[in-house]
Amino acid sequence: MVIPNEWADATFAAVTSSSVGKPRRVAGGITTSDVVLSAHLCGNAEVFPQILALHVPKGAAVADVTWGKGVFWQNVPPTAYKLLASDMKTGTDCRNLPYETGSIDAIVLDPPYMEGLFRKSTGHMAGGGSHAAFRENYSNGEATAEGGPKWHGAVTDLYFKAGREAHRVLRDEGVLIVKCQDEVSANRQCLTHVEIINEFVAYGFYCKDLFVVMRTNRPVVSRLIKQAHARKNHSYFLVFVKTAKKKYRAKPSSVRGTAVPPARTGPKQRAVRAAK
């Protein structure tokens, strides 16, 4: 479509006349596709450095409280951060950290997220035989104590207690990076990442970012008779910020682990409810 010159002149005159006496607002930045993405088809060691670069400033004190074999850090320069590595094998429980309150800039949390690793007998734990390496990386190999939560509840219980402890040791605006995966437990779909987000918001965290990591090979299921749920082949990195500002905080609802914004109670809202 060709625009007549007189139309273009009139439009230009209207724009310039309406902005007389006001500074013209110009958007900055560049056009690029070189940005950090939220979904990745690769390993954790490829995604983790991008998360750090986006959310954790260089030189920060970072406590990886579930260190394991340090897989996340394989592609991170050793001098980029003040790394404090610990796990159950070093004698440090992520639910009871040896750090002063408000002393840490960032925390990395990747506890066992399979309910099969929480059993009252080591003989019934997942990760036996050819899968022993998985148990070695994601469990201390010990049976679950009597009287505690079972199955998927044992998984979330560990995350929730570790999250409260992370909130204690993080400074205001400190960053918590959490690795997790959804699961099917007792034939019930459990959206672990949603449960963690809701619970941590109630502690005073703001969920700032989410990354999806998809495995590069296809999972194998043994003894399949009839499939009822899609097989999980992705996991999450959740990025939380310990909020110093009240605007991010949400009050816990009456339902455990969920947080909802309070209802508005101004005169206009009361009048609308009274009319119903």
Side-chain angles (χ1 to χ4, degrees), residues 31 40 51 74 86 99 158 230 236 258:
T31 301
H40 301 262
I51 299 174
Q74 287 179 352
S86 64
Y99 307 122
L158 176 54
Y236 302 92
T258 61

Side-chain angles (χ1 to χ4, degrees), residues 115-128 135 143 151:
E115 59 94 3
L117 293 174
F118 295 86
R119 292 288 188 268
K120 293 181 179 180
S121 169
T122 55
H124 294 159
M125 289 175 62
R135 183 192 298 186
W151 313 110

Side-chain angles (χ1 to χ4, degrees), residues 170-181:
L170 279 172
R171 62 170 176 79
D172 285 345
E173 305 297 335
V175 175
L176 171 61
I177 302 173
V178 178
K179 185 71 192 302
C180 66
Q181 185 177 36

Side-chain angles (χ1 to χ4, degrees), residues 187-242:
N187 204 36
R188 178 176 176 270
Q189 186 71 253
C190 300
L191 301 180
T192 310
H193 79 285
V194 177
E195 296 176 81
I196 292 173
I197 291 173
N198 287 337
E199 184 78 8
F200 283 21
V201 166
Y203 298 162
F205 283 109
Y206 158 59
C207 188
K208 185 180 181 182
D209 222 337
L210 177 150
F211 295 81
V212 179
V213 183
M214 184 174 171
R215 60 188 293 177
T216 56
N217 61 338
R218 293 183 64 85
V220 177
V221 181
S222 61
R223 300 188 299 275
L224 176 65
I225 298 176
K226 181 181 179 181
Q227 185 171 0
H229 302 88
R231 186 72 166 88
K232 302 290 185 296
N233 66 333
H234 69 284
S235 56
Y236 302 92
F237 277 105
L238 308 177
V239 180
F240 295 92
V241 175
K242 179 179 175 179

Side-chain angles (χ1 to χ4, degrees), residues 101-135:
T101 299
S103 62
I104 302 297
D105 298 318
I107 288 180
V108 180
L109 178 65
D110 179 30
Y113 47 70
M114 287 176 55
E115 59 94 3
L117 293 174
F118 295 86
R119 292 288 188 268
K120 293 181 179 180
S121 169
T122 55
H124 294 159
M125 289 175 62
S130 62
H131 294 84
F134 191 89
R135 183 192 298 186

Side-chain angles (χ1 to χ4, degrees), residues 30-41:
I30 61 173
T31 301
T32 180
S33 61
D34 185 18
V35 293
V36 177
L37 303 177
S38 61
H40 301 262
L41 179 61

